[in-house]
């Protein structure tokens, strides 16, 4: 009986998440109602409220799951050499490609800007673990500005990649992101 209940609970949460993602592709969360989500999921409102307090609770739980997955993807990587940075970035991009629809939706104009900032700050922490771009930029403040610049730029490059059909492989994109992050535009001249 307990196993059946767990399956039902998982199914209900899955269809609610899918329904929210479908609506977020069309409009921002502030314009979405619980009634819409329940109708799309074919679930009644009381069932929704037995799982989530509101739409933001559902959205934040989805975002937390993605951040946890990303964290698990990145935690096993080392950040001391360019090759390892490319491998880590490739693994992250593979994760994003595998979860393209949800990631593309959450990074879209209708996605939660708070989530985008969380991802940026998360990426920034990993950028700070990489060696400085040159030996002269070792002061902490400069490193922080540099990491913010690289993390924000990388997120927008990834957004563009997701929105344009993943034309390049994760490996190609990882090399591009690392090349831009470590050597900037001068590496293309």
């Amino acid at each position: 009986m307990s196993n059946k209940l767990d399956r039902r609970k998982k199914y209900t949460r899955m269809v609610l998440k899918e329904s929210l993602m479908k609506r977020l592709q069309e409009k921002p969360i502030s314009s979405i109602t619980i009634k819409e989500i329940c109708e799309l999921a074919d679930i009644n409102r009381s069932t929704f409220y037995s799982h989530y307090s509101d739409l933001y609770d559902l959205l934040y739980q989805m975002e937390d799951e993605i951040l946890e997955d990303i964290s698990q993807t990145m935690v096993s990587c080392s950040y001391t050499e360019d090759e390892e940075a490319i491998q880590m970035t490739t693994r992250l991009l593979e994760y994003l490609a595998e979860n393209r629809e949800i990631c593309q939706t959450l990074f879209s104009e209708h996605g939660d800007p708070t989530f985008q900032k969380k991802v940026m700050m998360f990426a920034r922490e990993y950028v700070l673990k990489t060696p400085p771009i040159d030996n002269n930029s070792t002061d902490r403040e400069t490193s922080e500005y540099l990491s913010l610049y690289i993390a924000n730029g990388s997120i927008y490059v990834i957004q563009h990649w997701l929105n344009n059909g993943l034309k390049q492989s994760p490996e190609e994109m990882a090399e591009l992101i690392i090349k831009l992050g470590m050597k900037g535009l001068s590496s293309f001249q």
Side-chain angles (χ1 to χ4, degrees):
M1 179 82 168
S2 175
N3 193 20
K4 194 174 196 177
L5 186 61
D6 287 344
R7 282 197 336 236
R8 242 188 291 161
K9 195 174 190 179
K10 286 179 185 177
Y11 173 79
T12 300
R13 289 181 178 196
M14 179 191 71
V15 295
L16 287 170
K17 289 174 185 178
E18 288 173 355
S19 298
L20 180 59
M21 283 296 103
K22 194 172 277 189
R23 287 295 175 245
L24 279 173
Q25 292 170 351
E26 301 165 359
K27 55 187 175 180
I29 193 164
S30 59
S31 300
I32 300 172
T33 65
I34 291 174
K35 181 181 177 186
E36 283 178 83
I37 299 301
C38 290
E39 285 175 359
L40 190 58
D42 196 25
I43 289 174
N44 65 43
R45 289 173 63 94
S46 61
T47 302
F48 176 91
Y49 285 114
S50 70
H51 294 275
Y52 305 103
S53 60
D54 58 22
L55 287 176
Y56 289 95
D57 183 30
L58 169 56
L59 178 63
Y60 296 153
Q61 285 190 33
M62 291 171 58
E63 292 172 350
D64 289 344
E65 288 172 13
I66 289 173
L67 286 172
E68 181 61 32
D69 285 350
I70 291 171
S71 177
Q72 292 302 316
T73 298
M74 295 175 82
V75 77
S76 62
C77 299
S78 176
Y79 309 98
T80 56
E81 297 190 22
D82 285 350
E83 228 177 86
E84 291 165 337
I86 290 172
Q87 289 172 357
M88 180 269 304
T89 306
T90 300
R91 287 179 55 192
L92 174 62
L93 292 169
E94 288 169 347
Y95 173 84
L96 296 176
E98 288 168 12
N99 298 280
R100 177 182 178 198
E101 190 174 327
I102 190 169
C103 292
Q104 189 174 4
T105 301
L106 291 175
F107 280 109
S108 76
E109 63 192 48
H110 299 305
D112 177 16
T114 307
F115 173 71
Q116 295 169 16
K117 287 179 185 175
K118 285 180 191 176
V119 171
M120 188 273 302
M121 295 308 289
F122 183 80
R124 180 178 166 261
E125 289 303 313
Y126 283 93
V127 170
L128 279 175
K129 291 179 182 180
T130 61
I133 287 181
D134 63 46
N135 293 332
N136 298 327
S137 65
T138 55
D139 84 63
R140 182 77 177 149
E141 190 172 322
T142 301
S143 291
E144 285 186 41
Y145 284 122
L146 186 58
S147 69
L148 285 168
Y149 181 80
I150 293 169
N152 275 303
S154 296
I155 286 172
Y156 285 106
V157 166
I158 291 168
Q159 254 181 328
H160 184 74
W161 178 64
L162 288 170
N163 291 335
N164 288 297
L166 310 171
K167 292 177 184 171
Q168 298 81 9
S169 70
E171 295 82 11
E172 291 171 317
M173 287 305 297
E175 288 175 15
L176 175 67
I177 289 169
I178 297 302
K179 189 175 182 180
L180 283 170
M182 296 303 172
K183 296 186 172 104
L185 294 176
S186 65
S187 63
F188 292 96
Q189 295 177 355

